[in-house]
Amino acid sequence: MALAHARVFGQPALQEATPSPYKAYIETYGCQMNFADSELVAGILQAEGYGFTTDPQEADLVLLNTCAIREHAEEKIWQRLKYFQSLKVRRPHLLVGVLGCMAERLRKKLLEEAPVVDLVAGPDSYRHLPQLIRQVESGAKAIHVLLSREETYADIAPLRLSPHRVSAYISIMRGCNNMCSFCIVPFTRGRERSRNWESILQEAQDLAAKGYKEITLLGQNVDSYHDRGVRFAQLLARLAEAVPQVWIRFATSHPKDMQDEVLETIASYPNLTPYIHLPVQSGSDTVLQRMNRGYTAAWYLQRVEAIRRYLPQAVLSTDIIVGFCGETEAEYQETLALMRAAAFDSVYHFMYSERPGTLAARRYKDDVPLEVKKARLEGVIALAQELNLESHRRQVGTVHLALLEKPARKDPRDMAGRTFSGQAVVVRQAADRYPPSTILKVRIVEATSATLIGDVADPSPVSP
Ligand code: SF4
């Protein structure tokens, strides 16, 4: 699943919304699923009477929602805990909790090795947060890291993060039954379970009624969504019909499970977006076998061909890991060759980081030297930028629907957003005429490897 950077809860919108004597500060790391979970946690805390702040110095409760996907992600948290240790000296009543995948992976060790930590709760334990907080308030440390085969939090209303009602996440399932040998997720998020489709539709309709224009469905492997006979393609069709005015995206697909019926369904509904995130991880069959991914490079390219056939406008992104155990130069070259053959529109790239307890850590040596990993990563980054630029250049001169999200970072007179097929776009001189969540027809006039650049092609906003 694609990664994002740390983000802090308690945006201005939330502070006003929930005046309360107790203030929570939530810092989120890792993937979109973790951001969606932080919104769940905020919903649970708000129901307990908490307000929110973006300033940890004002907080009564600090929660770090953590990631364990790579060593580096955990190192960041150990550093951050040192800061909260110093803050706690000045605010002795401050309650510090660690949530998420690192909490699940390390469990009691977090309480033992970081005395600043009062509370540890894994991804399936958020329903227990109020009781855990009370346990700490009564003077004891608190921990809950039991993984569940049922928990989907279907009955809990997330508290939305972003100040603008543009885009929202909906988790449709939790956990993963695949056992990719490099991956810690099955150990930190447990077995796969799908949420009942009615609650997903209800949440989508609530968001549409509140004016949200885009929903992203989240699951570690959405293609294996299954609820009482409703598979992923059926869920997409029911959602598309239930909220026709909302753009629907999803992540993450799995090459071995992605069916043509999903692609056909996307092609049949005007509000299902042709953006596919399909992690390949490697282009070498021998590496894919050691990774226990369950498909070959040829099978993967056949899936890419099907995507391009059903959805000619599709934007295809992927994940690539370099330097996996035993990866030879020849195997690495196969990855570069597959990247060219698939002509990806965007690539998330990572160096292999051994995770304790995974199949790979138990079976193979992490034997690719760091400098070789770094060199191979540079090679993948360079090719990814080339492919990204080619993909963006193909759009110059065309007209796209764009959903505006916020003023552009470089020039706040411009607005940043995404096209219907999911590419980043900057719309020039739009900020003072169009607010976030406006959908516009935009003519693409320039392209960089990072983004498309466009001008308003039709001044009247499009109502979906
Ligand atoms: S599909 Fe594989 S990489 Fe993705 S979460 Fe599951 S085990 Fe991890």
Side-chain angles (χ1 to χ4, degrees), residues 128-272:
H128 305 282
L129 274 175
Q131 166 221 331
L132 295 170
I133 291 168
R134 281 191 286 280
Q135 201 177 321
V136 175
E137 285 165 349
S138 67
K141 297 277 182 180
I143 181 164
H144 192 292
V145 285
L146 280 182
L147 286 172
S148 162
R149 283 176 176 266
E150 284 84 38
E151 182 62 89
T152 64
Y153 303 113
D155 59 323
I156 295 183
L159 187 61
R160 300 297 163 180
L161 161 73
S162 71
H164 302 297
R165 296 184 172 187
V166 177
S167 187
Y169 296 130
I170 297 184
S171 301
I172 63 169
M173 56 200 302
R174 299 183 73 82
C176 188
N177 285 355
N178 295 314
M179 287 301 279
C180 303
S181 63
F182 54 81
C183 187
I184 196 76
V185 171
F187 305 92
T188 58
R189 285 185 167 273
R191 305 297 288 170
E192 192 175 272
R193 63 229 100 125
S194 296
R195 187 175 151 192
N196 70 67
W197 64 267
E198 295 91 340
S199 72
I200 297 170
L201 247 67
Q202 186 57 56
E203 191 171 336
Q205 285 161 331
D206 290 351
L207 288 165
K210 289 190 180 115
Y212 283 83
K213 293 287 175 39
E214 182 185 68
I215 287 171
T216 302
L217 309 176
L218 298 179
Q220 310 291 349
N221 174 6
V222 292
D223 292 304
S224 57
Y225 176 88
H226 192 235
D227 172 38
R228 292 161 296 150
V230 175
R231 294 187 308 281
F232 188 51
Q234 282 78 47
L235 176 70
L236 283 176
R238 291 181 185 194
L239 276 166
E241 287 162 14
V243 287
Q245 73 281 39
V246 175
W247 290 2
I248 297 169
R249 303 189 190 285
F250 57 84
T252 295
S253 303
H254 198 296
K256 75 173 169 48
D257 300 321
M258 192 183 70
Q259 306 295 318
D260 283 15
E261 67 168 346
V262 168
L263 303 174
E264 220 167 347
T265 306
I266 298 171
S268 328
Y269 289 92
N271 60 331
L272 294 180

